[in-house]
Amino acid sequence: MSDVIQLLPDIVANQIAAGEVIQRPASVIKELVENAVDAGAQQINVLVVDAGRTSIQVIDDGKGMSETDARLSFERHATSKIRMADDLFNLHTMGFRGEALASIAAVSHIELKTRTNGEDIGTQLSIAGSKFTGQEPCACPVGSNFKVDNLFYNVPARRKFLKSNTTELNHIITAFERIALVYPKIAFTFHSNGSEMYNLRAGGLRQRIVDIFGKRINQDLLPVNVETSVCGLGGFVGKPESAKKRGVSQYFFVNGRYMRHPYFHKAVMQVFERLIPQGTQVPYFLYFDVDPKDIDVNIHPTKTEIKFENEQAIWQILFASVKDAIGRFNDITSIDFDTEGKPDIPVFDSEQSTQLPRMNLTPQYNPFNSNERSHEHRSKVKGGLDEAPIVHSQVPEQWEQLYEGLKTESAPVGGTLFTGPGDVGGSLIDEKSPSHYQYKGKYIMTAVKSGLMIIDQHRAHVRMLFEQYREQLVARKIHSQKVLFPETMELSVQENTIFQSVREEIKSMGFELTDLGDNTYAVYAIPEGLEGINVLQLVHDMIGSVQEKGVADVDAINDSLALSMARAAAVPYGQVLSNEEMEGIINGLFICSNVNYTPDGKTILYILKQEKIELMLG
């Protein structure tokens, strides 16, 4: 029997490793910038063309590499940070496995120029698909200059599945921001297709956050700073009024490395549980300083999932620290003791008797008695500042005719609620009980022949408005309404990138936005029917919705924008509705294409069967 197991060639092994480490252009940015940080750079410049498809360039002023090190750096498992197995549990650098450069070189063309401080001449290397195609001396500044062209040129299947340029650029910006937020003392620049998007000067952490996310976030940050024997914790957390539904900046870092941690996220959100509206979240930028021996960062190829040894203890520290930050800075409504201009309310004296006010009236008075129609009955209220007469006006002649016909008018008859595949009951509105009832300002209850139907008023209105807005978007029939006082809207670089990709769709919805420069826009017109709504927050929510879903085609963008508008314009929970308003929501719901679920899959209605009601009541 012949042997079937054989060693993979290095080129194939590197391409397999690239599939884990280099998933998209953003992965290349992450690896190269982290290497620049480890090299002690104080200035890092990132340049991309066509969202990294055509070219990625990272230039740093670090310590550079010698000719030998430059050649060895592209070999698999070549690293300057690991000498023995114990070093894996005492890591103070970003990259350490020695797979990044080898993986990048396996799927692209690379040109490297590097020079150390002690050498007069640098080294230039050219690599294509893990094969060295050239090496020669060159003149270059101290540091390293990596240029990666034609990413995935030899793996067409991977290149084919890259998303649109807007989506890939969004991922690159995300990876860039995660590193820039950790190292505020390093200056960064970022250029896309020759246009400068970031120019981050060296400074403090708060200034770095403001430079990345805009000036408006500065007033919403509360500092967090605590030192314990288990870990150190610093950074900032947002005030309750900064809570948003979408597009919230939330970052955890441990020992200078970005991480995802749902368990710690729950600790922060639990502090704000009763301080912010349900469904919203606050921004936070929290930095953990933990002994490297107490964490494991090598459990995931991208090193974004980190295992902690004292996870529960750190959870308690995080919860207490965030809670203390809110309380220490008195971020709650204080009691107003300013009584100037307020009415003088006398102090209650328990020993002093209190006399109830009395009213004089005539029990024999009958306004419908013809003998008393012209009589003016006056009663004087005692105990007040003045005596105020109560005057009964005359009753008009033949008042009975005003109410003729009401007793014979028939009650409105309800039609079919819903039929088809989405029908959950196939019921008709009970003709004997046409009225609707509102429960706790949230649900509409109405009798149907099969039982009691309960409708979520907000979700039902969202479904109605979503289909209306989507139809108007497709037909381009939404009209604009000029605003009296234009508002100014500031976007972050990432938000502005997404906004540019959907700007025409937002314009077709009836928004008129004028570019003021520096990622700032003035809102001069809004769609009709949105008066009284926080338009700036609505635009931010729409951009955040597009960012979350990563949509690319026009239909998906229209759906996302229509849903954001519907959520903003729908009746909120707690709003008291009249019977006519409830009737309008019910009728509007049951002409929709789907009456059972909202566009994002939440249940709208439920029918409590009559048999179940009788069974519960015995």
Side-chain angles (χ1 to χ4, degrees), residues 28 63 73 231 244 355 379 444 514 519 544 591-592:
V28 178
K63 60 185 178 182
S73 65
C231 72
K244 297 191 298 183
Q355 185 178 5
S379 61
I444 298 174
T514 302
N519 301 331
I591 62 174
C592 294

Side-chain angles (χ1 to χ4, degrees), residues 382-595:
K382 296 183 179 180
L385 297 177
D386 299 309
E387 293 185 349
I390 301 177
V391 181
H392 298 280
S393 59
Q394 295 183 359
V395 179
E397 298 285 345
Q398 300 177 346
W399 60 270
E400 295 90 345
Q401 297 180 1
L402 298 174
Y403 300 93
E404 289 183 0
L406 293 182
K407 294 183 180 181
T408 58
E409 186 175 333
S410 59
V413 180
T416 302
L417 290 182
F418 45 88
T419 56
D423 188 3
V424 296
S427 307
L428 296 176
I429 292 180
D430 191 348
E431 299 177 5
K432 298 180 181 179
S433 304
S435 298
H436 312 292
Y437 305 93
Q438 189 179 24
Y439 177 66
K440 290 191 174 182
K442 186 174 183 179
Y443 303 105
I444 298 174
M445 299 190 298
T446 186
V448 295
K449 288 191 174 180
S450 60
L452 179 66
M453 182 170 63
I454 305 172
I455 300 174
D456 187 302
Q457 68 182 40
H458 175 74
R459 294 178 182 177
H461 204 199
V462 166
R463 165 54 72 176
M464 290 171 49
L465 295 177
F466 168 76
E467 298 203 0
Q468 293 176 12
Y469 288 139
R470 184 178 57 179
E471 182 179 349
Q472 292 172 346
L473 275 172
V474 174
R476 298 292 191 265
K477 292 183 178 180
I478 297 183
H479 301 288
S480 295
Q481 175 69 45
K482 293 287 185 179
V483 296
L484 186 59
F485 301 103
E487 296 186 76
T488 302
M489 177 180 63
E490 182 183 358
L491 302 178
S492 66
V493 174
Q494 193 171 30
E495 287 178 326
N496 190 50
T497 302
I498 301 170
F499 172 73
Q500 294 301 327
S501 66
V502 296
R503 186 170 184 176
E504 289 302 318
E505 284 71 20
I506 292 180
K507 182 179 179 181
S508 66
M509 298 177 69
F511 290 94
E512 184 180 330
L513 303 174
T514 302
D515 192 350
L516 303 179
D518 197 21
N519 301 331
T520 305
Y521 299 86
V523 182
Y524 285 96
I526 61 175
E528 286 184 345
L530 295 186
E531 294 80 4
I533 291 178
N534 188 337
V535 178
L536 301 186
Q537 187 60 51
L538 172 58
V539 176
H540 282 293
D541 289 344
M542 289 192 294
I543 295 174
S545 179
V546 174
Q547 179 181 356
E548 285 182 1
K549 297 181 180 180
V551 293
D553 59 286
V554 176
D555 290 339
I557 291 174
N558 287 341
D559 289 349
S560 181
L561 299 181
L563 180 57
S564 297
M565 287 184 61
R567 285 172 175 159
V571 293
Y573 294 123
Q575 179 174 330
V576 179
L577 304 177
S578 65
N579 195 70
E580 291 75 14
E581 290 171 330
M582 290 186 283
E583 182 76 22
I585 289 179
I586 293 175
N587 291 339
L589 173 64
F590 290 109
I591 62 174
C592 294
S593 59
N594 188 334
V595 302

Side-chain angles (χ1 to χ4, degrees), residues 153-208:
Y153 80 99
N154 55 352
V155 191
R158 294 292 302 277
R159 189 175 179 89
K160 175 183 177 182
F161 282 98
L162 290 178
K163 304 298 183 181
S164 66
N165 283 357
T166 300
T167 302
E168 295 299 337
L169 182 60
N170 186 36
H171 285 289
I172 291 174
I173 292 175
T174 299
F176 177 83
E177 290 177 349
R178 290 173 180 174
I179 300 175
L181 284 170
V182 181
Y183 300 98
K185 294 184 179 180
I186 300 177
F188 292 88
T189 64
F190 183 88
H191 293 76
S192 175
N193 295 336
S195 176
E196 183 180 86
M197 302 184 70
Y198 287 101
N199 190 345
L200 308 176
R201 62 189 185 276
L205 177 58
R206 191 182 193 111
Q207 184 61 47
R208 177 56 54 88

Side-chain angles (χ1 to χ4, degrees), residues 173-338:
I173 292 175
T174 299
F176 177 83
E177 290 177 349
R178 290 173 180 174
I179 300 175
L181 284 170
V182 181
Y183 300 98
K185 294 184 179 180
I186 300 177
F188 292 88
T189 64
F190 183 88
H191 293 76
S192 175
N193 295 336
S195 176
E196 183 180 86
M197 302 184 70
Y198 287 101
N199 190 345
L200 308 176
R201 62 189 185 276
L205 177 58
R206 191 182 193 111
Q207 184 61 47
R208 177 56 54 88
I209 294 174
V210 172
D211 288 343
I212 292 178
F213 298 102
K215 296 178 182 178
R216 72 178 186 275
I217 200 173
N218 187 34
Q219 61 185 4
D220 295 329
L221 297 179
L222 297 175
V224 177
N225 190 10
V226 65
E227 290 290 338
T228 69
S229 59
V230 178
C231 72
L233 177 62
F236 298 91
V237 67
K239 296 179 181 179
E241 55 261 32
S242 66
K244 297 191 298 183
K245 291 183 178 180
R246 284 173 181 78
V248 182
S249 302
Q250 297 176 329
Y251 294 88
F252 282 125
F253 302 94
V254 57
N255 296 354
R257 188 186 305 276
Y258 170 79
M259 70 169 179
R260 296 188 184 94
H261 211 294
Y263 185 53
F264 289 167
H265 171 77
K266 184 179 179 181
V268 178
M269 289 299 100
Q270 190 167 325
V271 176
F272 290 90
E273 191 172 12
R274 297 187 179 182
L275 299 177
I276 60 177
Q278 187 176 5
T280 62
Q281 296 190 3
V282 295
Y284 56 76
F285 307 87
L286 297 172
Y287 298 75
F288 295 90
D289 186 10
V290 185
D291 189 336
K293 297 179 180 179
D294 295 336
I295 61 175
D296 186 1
V297 302
N298 201 27
I299 62 175
H300 192 273
T302 60
K303 292 172 283 194
T304 57
E305 297 179 10
I306 297 177
K307 185 178 181 181
F308 288 78
E309 183 178 349
N310 301 315
E311 196 171 69
Q312 292 185 351
I314 295 177
W315 193 97
Q316 296 291 342
I317 294 171
L318 174 61
F319 179 84
S321 301
V322 174
K323 192 172 184 179
D324 177 67
I326 299 174
R328 181 154 39 93
F329 289 90
N330 197 24
D331 198 69
I332 56 176
T333 303
S334 59
I335 301 176
D336 184 11
F337 291 99
D338 184 12

